[in-house]
mmCIF file of all heavy atoms in Angstrom:
data_model
loop_
_atom_site.group_PDB
_atom_site.id
_atom_site.type_symbol
_atom_site.label_atom_id
_atom_site.label_comp_id
_atom_site.label_asym_id
_atom_site.label_seq_id
_atom_site.Cartn_x
_atom_site.Cartn_y
_atom_site.Cartn_z
ATOM 1 N N ASP Q 164 37.066 -28.205 19.737
ATOM 2 C CA ASP Q 164 36.812 -29.006 20.888
ATOM 3 C C ASP Q 164 35.955 -30.198 20.344
ATOM 4 O O ASP Q 164 34.729 -30.160 20.239
ATOM 5 C CB ASP Q 164 35.971 -28.246 21.884
ATOM 6 C CG ASP Q 164 35.615 -29.041 23.161
ATOM 7 O OD1 ASP Q 164 35.924 -30.240 23.173
ATOM 8 O OD2 ASP Q 164 34.954 -28.500 24.037
ATOM 9 N N ALA Q 165 36.683 -31.268 19.906
ATOM 10 C CA ALA Q 165 36.057 -32.356 19.250
ATOM 11 C C ALA Q 165 36.955 -33.569 19.325
ATOM 12 O O ALA Q 165 38.179 -33.428 19.519
ATOM 13 C CB ALA Q 165 35.829 -32.013 17.760
ATOM 14 N N VAL Q 166 36.344 -34.708 19.147
ATOM 15 C CA VAL Q 166 37.134 -35.987 19.069
ATOM 16 C C VAL Q 166 37.892 -36.037 17.814
ATOM 17 O O VAL Q 166 37.413 -35.913 16.664
ATOM 18 C CB VAL Q 166 36.153 -37.204 19.181
ATOM 19 C CG1 VAL Q 166 36.984 -38.506 18.968
ATOM 20 C CG2 VAL Q 166 35.487 -37.186 20.513
ATOM 21 N N ARG Q 167 39.225 -36.126 18.033
ATOM 22 C CA ARG Q 167 40.206 -36.101 16.820
ATOM 23 C C ARG Q 167 41.334 -37.017 17.166
ATOM 24 O O ARG Q 167 41.531 -37.456 18.330
ATOM 25 C CB ARG Q 167 40.796 -34.672 16.613
ATOM 26 C CG ARG Q 167 39.731 -33.667 16.071
ATOM 27 C CD ARG Q 167 39.351 -33.978 14.659
ATOM 28 N NE ARG Q 167 38.448 -32.929 14.043
ATOM 29 C CZ ARG Q 167 37.194 -32.877 14.197
ATOM 30 N NH1 ARG Q 167 36.514 -33.838 14.824
ATOM 31 N NH2 ARG Q 167 36.488 -31.899 13.610
ATOM 32 N N THR Q 168 42.098 -37.312 16.157
ATOM 33 C CA THR Q 168 43.252 -38.114 16.309
ATOM 34 C C THR Q 168 44.513 -37.271 15.920
ATOM 35 O O THR Q 168 44.404 -36.601 14.805
ATOM 36 C CB THR Q 168 43.275 -39.452 15.457
ATOM 37 O OG1 THR Q 168 42.250 -40.351 15.997
ATOM 38 C CG2 THR Q 168 44.665 -40.162 15.556
ATOM 39 N N VAL Q 169 45.523 -37.233 16.724
ATOM 40 C CA VAL Q 169 46.706 -36.323 16.526
ATOM 41 C C VAL Q 169 47.910 -37.116 16.088
ATOM 42 O O VAL Q 169 48.212 -38.128 16.853
ATOM 43 C CB VAL Q 169 47.019 -35.545 17.812
ATOM 44 C CG1 VAL Q 169 48.217 -34.632 17.621
ATOM 45 C CG2 VAL Q 169 45.772 -34.664 18.264
ATOM 46 N N GLY Q 170 48.423 -36.779 14.927
ATOM 47 C CA GLY Q 170 49.596 -37.449 14.493
ATOM 48 C C GLY Q 170 50.886 -36.589 14.776
ATOM 49 O O GLY Q 170 50.864 -35.387 14.420
ATOM 50 N N ILE Q 171 51.860 -37.196 15.364
ATOM 51 C CA ILE Q 171 53.163 -36.463 15.671
ATOM 52 C C ILE Q 171 54.273 -37.072 14.842
ATOM 53 O O ILE Q 171 54.471 -38.260 14.815
ATOM 54 C CB ILE Q 171 53.390 -36.582 17.192
ATOM 55 C CG1 ILE Q 171 52.309 -35.847 17.960
ATOM 56 C CG2 ILE Q 171 54.772 -35.976 17.543
ATOM 57 C CD1 ILE Q 171 52.303 -36.212 19.400
ATOM 58 N N ARG Q 172 55.035 -36.170 14.236
ATOM 59 C CA ARG Q 172 56.220 -36.556 13.480
ATOM 60 C C ARG Q 172 57.393 -35.786 14.004
ATOM 61 O O ARG Q 172 57.373 -34.564 14.012
ATOM 62 C CB ARG Q 172 56.053 -36.448 12.008
ATOM 63 C CG ARG Q 172 57.141 -37.052 11.194
ATOM 64 C CD ARG Q 172 56.868 -37.000 9.718
ATOM 65 N NE ARG Q 172 55.756 -37.875 9.346
ATOM 66 C CZ ARG Q 172 54.665 -37.393 8.789
ATOM 67 N NH1 ARG Q 172 54.531 -36.129 8.560
ATOM 68 N NH2 ARG Q 172 53.721 -38.240 8.450
ATOM 69 N N GLY Q 173 58.346 -36.464 14.499
ATOM 70 C CA GLY Q 173 59.524 -35.749 15.135
ATOM 71 C C GLY Q 173 59.073 -34.946 16.420
ATOM 72 O O GLY Q 173 58.368 -35.443 17.276
ATOM 73 N N ASN Q 174 59.348 -33.708 16.386
ATOM 74 C CA ASN Q 174 58.957 -32.837 17.575
ATOM 75 C C ASN Q 174 57.714 -31.963 17.239
ATOM 76 O O ASN Q 174 57.496 -31.015 17.949
ATOM 77 C CB ASN Q 174 60.115 -31.937 18.019
ATOM 78 C CG ASN Q 174 60.580 -30.967 17.025
ATOM 79 O OD1 ASN Q 174 60.109 -30.991 15.820
ATOM 80 N ND2 ASN Q 174 61.530 -30.169 17.351
ATOM 81 N N LYS Q 175 56.994 -32.228 16.097
ATOM 82 C CA LYS Q 175 55.961 -31.386 15.698
ATOM 83 C C LYS Q 175 54.601 -32.132 15.560
ATOM 84 O O LYS Q 175 54.591 -33.357 15.398
ATOM 85 C CB LYS Q 175 56.255 -30.762 14.298
ATOM 86 C CG LYS Q 175 57.479 -29.836 14.310
ATOM 87 C CD LYS Q 175 57.175 -28.477 14.990
ATOM 88 C CE LYS Q 175 58.332 -27.546 14.863
ATOM 89 N NZ LYS Q 175 58.021 -26.207 15.586
ATOM 90 N N ILE Q 176 53.518 -31.438 15.739
ATOM 91 C CA ILE Q 176 52.233 -31.991 15.409
ATOM 92 C C ILE Q 176 52.149 -31.949 13.880
ATOM 93 O O ILE Q 176 52.207 -30.899 13.246
ATOM 94 C CB ILE Q 176 51.157 -31.098 16.039
ATOM 95 C CG1 ILE Q 176 51.170 -31.227 17.576
ATOM 96 C CG2 ILE Q 176 49.726 -31.622 15.546
ATOM 97 C CD1 ILE Q 176 50.258 -30.331 18.394
ATOM 98 N N ALA Q 177 51.814 -33.052 13.316
ATOM 99 C CA ALA Q 177 51.849 -33.170 11.798
ATOM 100 C C ALA Q 177 50.441 -33.356 11.265
ATOM 101 O O ALA Q 177 50.160 -33.108 10.078
ATOM 102 C CB ALA Q 177 52.672 -34.397 11.319
ATOM 103 N N SER Q 178 49.510 -33.777 12.094
ATOM 104 C CA SER Q 178 48.070 -33.996 11.558
ATOM 105 C C SER Q 178 47.070 -33.961 12.775
ATOM 106 O O SER Q 178 47.419 -34.402 13.897
ATOM 107 C CB SER Q 178 47.950 -35.316 10.867
ATOM 108 O OG SER Q 178 46.596 -35.588 10.428
ATOM 109 N N ILE Q 179 45.968 -33.367 12.511
ATOM 110 C CA ILE Q 179 44.822 -33.363 13.436
ATOM 111 C C ILE Q 179 43.649 -33.860 12.648
ATOM 112 O O ILE Q 179 43.209 -33.119 11.737
ATOM 113 C CB ILE Q 179 44.571 -32.109 14.167
ATOM 114 C CG1 ILE Q 179 45.789 -31.605 14.878
ATOM 115 C CG2 ILE Q 179 43.323 -32.154 15.101
ATOM 116 C CD1 ILE Q 179 45.760 -30.208 15.414
ATOM 117 N N SER Q 180 43.209 -35.065 12.805
ATOM 118 C CA SER Q 180 42.239 -35.620 11.826
ATOM 119 C C SER Q 180 41.032 -36.374 12.427
ATOM 120 O O SER Q 180 41.187 -36.969 13.574
ATOM 121 C CB SER Q 180 43.042 -36.635 10.943
ATOM 122 O OG SER Q 180 42.143 -37.318 10.091
ATOM 123 N N PRO Q 181 39.914 -36.246 11.819
ATOM 124 C CA PRO Q 181 38.776 -37.050 12.293
ATOM 125 C C PRO Q 181 38.889 -38.520 11.875
ATOM 126 O O PRO Q 181 38.091 -39.371 12.219
ATOM 127 C CB PRO Q 181 37.539 -36.367 11.617
ATOM 128 C CG PRO Q 181 38.098 -35.834 10.368
ATOM 129 C CD PRO Q 181 39.539 -35.368 10.714
ATOM 130 N N ASN Q 182 39.872 -38.832 11.019
ATOM 131 C CA ASN Q 182 40.061 -40.136 10.437
ATOM 132 C C ASN Q 182 41.135 -40.906 11.241
ATOM 133 O O ASN Q 182 41.856 -40.321 12.012
ATOM 134 C CB ASN Q 182 40.429 -40.052 8.965
ATOM 135 C CG ASN Q 182 39.469 -39.306 8.161
ATOM 136 O OD1 ASN Q 182 38.259 -39.675 8.117
ATOM 137 N ND2 ASN Q 182 39.864 -38.233 7.569
ATOM 138 N N GLN Q 183 41.158 -42.172 11.001
ATOM 139 C CA GLN Q 183 42.156 -43.013 11.636
ATOM 140 C C GLN Q 183 43.545 -42.739 11.126
ATOM 141 O O GLN Q 183 43.726 -42.589 9.886
ATOM 142 C CB GLN Q 183 41.794 -44.512 11.498
ATOM 143 C CG GLN Q 183 42.717 -45.429 12.248
ATOM 144 C CD GLN Q 183 42.350 -46.869 12.050
ATOM 145 O OE1 GLN Q 183 41.741 -47.258 11.136
ATOM 146 N NE2 GLN Q 183 42.714 -47.710 13.014
ATOM 147 N N LEU Q 184 44.544 -42.631 12.022
ATOM 148 C CA LEU Q 184 45.975 -42.459 11.606
ATOM 149 C C LEU Q 184 46.693 -43.707 12.168
ATOM 150 O O LEU Q 184 46.351 -44.219 13.126
ATOM 151 C CB LEU Q 184 46.518 -41.188 12.198
ATOM 152 C CG LEU Q 184 45.802 -39.853 11.810
ATOM 153 C CD1 LEU Q 184 46.436 -38.659 12.521
ATOM 154 C CD2 LEU Q 184 45.789 -39.653 10.269
ATOM 155 N N ARG Q 185 47.815 -43.929 11.583
ATOM 156 C CA ARG Q 185 48.607 -44.983 12.055
ATOM 157 C C ARG Q 185 50.100 -44.420 12.282
ATOM 158 O O ARG Q 185 50.479 -43.568 11.750
ATOM 159 C CB ARG Q 185 48.831 -46.110 10.898
ATOM 160 C CG ARG Q 185 47.451 -46.715 10.504
ATOM 161 C CD ARG Q 185 46.684 -47.272 11.615
ATOM 162 N NE ARG Q 185 47.429 -48.250 12.470
ATOM 163 C CZ ARG Q 185 47.428 -49.638 12.140
ATOM 164 N NH1 ARG Q 185 46.662 -50.027 11.189
ATOM 165 N NH2 ARG Q 185 48.111 -50.395 12.821
ATOM 166 N N GLY Q 186 50.631 -45.040 13.385
ATOM 167 C CA GLY Q 186 51.957 -44.634 13.822
ATOM 168 C C GLY Q 186 52.720 -45.680 14.480
ATOM 169 O O GLY Q 186 52.233 -46.792 14.735
ATOM 170 N N LYS Q 187 54.016 -45.417 14.690
ATOM 171 C CA LYS Q 187 54.918 -46.428 15.356
ATOM 172 C C LYS Q 187 54.375 -46.669 16.721
ATOM 173 O O LYS Q 187 54.577 -47.787 17.243
ATOM 174 C CB LYS Q 187 56.339 -45.875 15.352
ATOM 175 C CG LYS Q 187 56.926 -45.609 13.983
ATOM 176 C CD LYS Q 187 58.274 -44.985 14.033
ATOM 177 C CE LYS Q 187 58.838 -44.633 12.675
ATOM 178 N NZ LYS Q 187 60.094 -43.842 12.704
ATOM 179 N N VAL Q 188 53.976 -45.608 17.420
ATOM 180 C CA VAL Q 188 53.386 -45.719 18.696
ATOM 181 C C VAL Q 188 51.974 -45.209 18.638
ATOM 182 O O VAL Q 188 51.720 -44.033 18.284
ATOM 183 C CB VAL Q 188 54.194 -44.954 19.799
ATOM 184 C CG1 VAL Q 188 53.515 -45.003 21.167
ATOM 185 C CG2 VAL Q 188 55.594 -45.457 19.873
#
Side-chain angles (χ1 to χ4, degrees):
D164 182 357
V166 173
R167 293 288 187 271
T168 292
V169 177
I171 297 167
R172 189 174 292 118
N174 63 356
K175 297 287 186 179
I176 296 172
S178 177
I179 302 169
S180 175
N182 302 301
Q183 186 178 25
L184 303 176
R185 302 305 302 269
K187 299 172 186 175
V188 175

